[in-house]
Amino acid sequence: MRSTRIAAAVAGAVMLVGSLSACNDDGGKASGGSSSGGSSDTAGGKQDPAQNPVDALKAAQEATAGKKTAKIDGSTTTTTTNGQVKQSTKGGLDWTQGMQMNVENTMTGGGSPGKPIKAIYTKDAVYMNMGAAMPGASSKPWMKYSYAALSKQLGGSGTLFQDVLQNANPSQPIELLIASGTAKAVGKEAVNGVQATHYTGTVTMAQLSGKVSKSVRDLVQKQLEKGGAKSEQLDVWIDADNLLVKKEEKLGGKQPSSSTALFSDYGTKVDVAPPPASQTATAPGA
């Protein structure tokens, strides 16, 4: 049970970063959607989001994906039959060569201890600093969990986590919103002290058909079915530099969930080196 919970926590952090399209495999290019009417460039050469949200979002997707690093501060709350479960993730992201992270994950509710756990996501494994007080912690502070073992614990193939991490980055929710064909600009709002344009839309399987890869559709379908939802509300906020600064996702159904993530400090260095081998133990079966 504990290993399954760890696998779910690892997956939750990845999903918070990349949205439902975390395993997109089209190279980061915007897909689906089309602009309506002629050119809507403003005098400064930028797209008018109210008149042409798709083109504005495509520019944001390209700019965000190109930064390669950022910081995240977000959380996901899910309502289950046993009450609410919340997972928070805070730290640095590096998607130079697939998604790697140096973050703290905290889970509360559902029997979780509510203690922050340091986690370093590398190309083939996640290293978690369990702390001396954590049940099952060894004399070494770090525990290594291979993605192959975690993938199988979640009922997926042995390459599930690698496939997801290979393409996950903060530009993915923007791509999903474009592909939905429902994106519209809400207006300007302040996010962390900066002005950003708020876009909103609704994602359903029918809207994604033929517009994104099969891996994306499969992941969205699984996420919707898990909570008995038929659609997801997706909102993103884009700043004046065409960078994603905030995203929100809301799922209804039998197990409603909502997530909010703030992104900042694009382009700053993130240390994703694994801990020393002398300080690391390997989890059983991993």
Side-chain angles (χ1 to χ4, degrees):
M1 177 64 72
R2 183 168 175 269
S3 61
T4 302
R5 183 178 297 166
I6 289 173
V10 172
V14 176
M15 296 296 286
L16 184 62
V17 172
S19 184
L20 297 180
S21 58
C23 65
N24 173 41
D25 59 8
D26 66 359
K29 297 179 181 179
S31 57
S34 60
S35 60
S36 59
S39 172
S40 59
D41 291 356
T42 65
K46 292 187 177 181
Q47 299 293 334
D48 179 355
Q51 296 295 323
N52 206 337
V54 170
D55 283 355
L57 286 169
K58 285 181 178 180
Q61 183 191 10
E62 182 178 358
T64 299
K67 284 298 183 179
K68 300 301 183 183
T69 64
K71 291 183 179 179
I72 185 174
D73 186 354
S75 64
T76 299
T77 301
T78 303
T79 301
T80 70
T81 55
N82 296 320
Q84 286 192 336
V85 177
K86 180 178 181 180
Q87 175 170 339
S88 301
T89 297
K90 184 175 183 178
L93 313 173
D94 184 328
W95 57 98
T96 304
Q97 295 179 315
M99 178 56 69
Q100 300 182 79
M101 300 186 279
N102 187 334
V103 298
E104 280 193 348
N105 294 325
T106 305
M107 292 193 72
T108 56
S112 299
K115 178 181 178 180
I117 297 176
K118 294 181 180 179
I120 299 176
Y121 295 67
T122 65
K123 294 180 180 179
D124 59 358
V126 59
Y127 297 81
M128 305 183 77
N129 191 323
M130 310 306 288
M134 292 294 293
S138 68
S139 58
K140 298 180 179 180
W142 291 91
M143 189 75 75
K144 178 182 179 180
Y145 297 86
S146 74
Y147 291 140
L150 292 174
S151 297
K152 292 177 180 177
Q153 287 167 7
L154 289 179
S157 67
T159 63
L160 174 63
F161 271 107
Q162 287 97 324
D163 292 344
V164 171
L165 287 164
Q166 183 59 40
N167 298 287
N169 71 70
S171 74
Q172 300 299 336
I174 306 175
E175 181 204 8
L176 190 60
L177 188 55
I178 294 170
S180 76
T182 66
K184 63 179 181 180
V186 177
K188 296 283 188 178
E189 299 174 13
V191 178
N192 272 350
V194 302
Q195 285 295 303
T197 303
H198 177 189
Y199 299 87
T200 188
T202 303
V203 178
T204 67
M205 289 304 300
Q207 291 162 346
L208 298 183
S209 179
K211 296 180 181 179
V212 294
S213 64
K214 183 178 182 299
S215 60
V216 173
R217 295 196 303 272
D218 289 347
L219 189 59
V220 173
Q221 182 72 33
K222 178 179 288 188
Q223 186 74 3
L224 294 177
E225 290 179 348
K226 180 180 179 181
K230 295 182 179 180
S231 64
E232 178 200 44
Q233 180 180 331
L234 177 59
D235 293 71
V236 300
W237 285 257
I238 309 298
D239 71 6
D241 295 321
N242 280 334
L243 298 176
L244 176 72
V245 291
K246 180 181 178 181
K247 68 119 176 173
E248 288 186 351
E249 296 179 84
K250 294 181 180 179
L251 281 169
K254 300 176 182 178
Q255 293 187 358
S257 66
S258 62
S259 70
T260 300
L262 299 173
F263 299 92
S264 63
D265 297 299
Y266 282 94
T268 57
K269 182 176 176 58
V270 177
D271 183 7
V272 291
S278 62
Q279 299 294 309
T280 304
T282 300

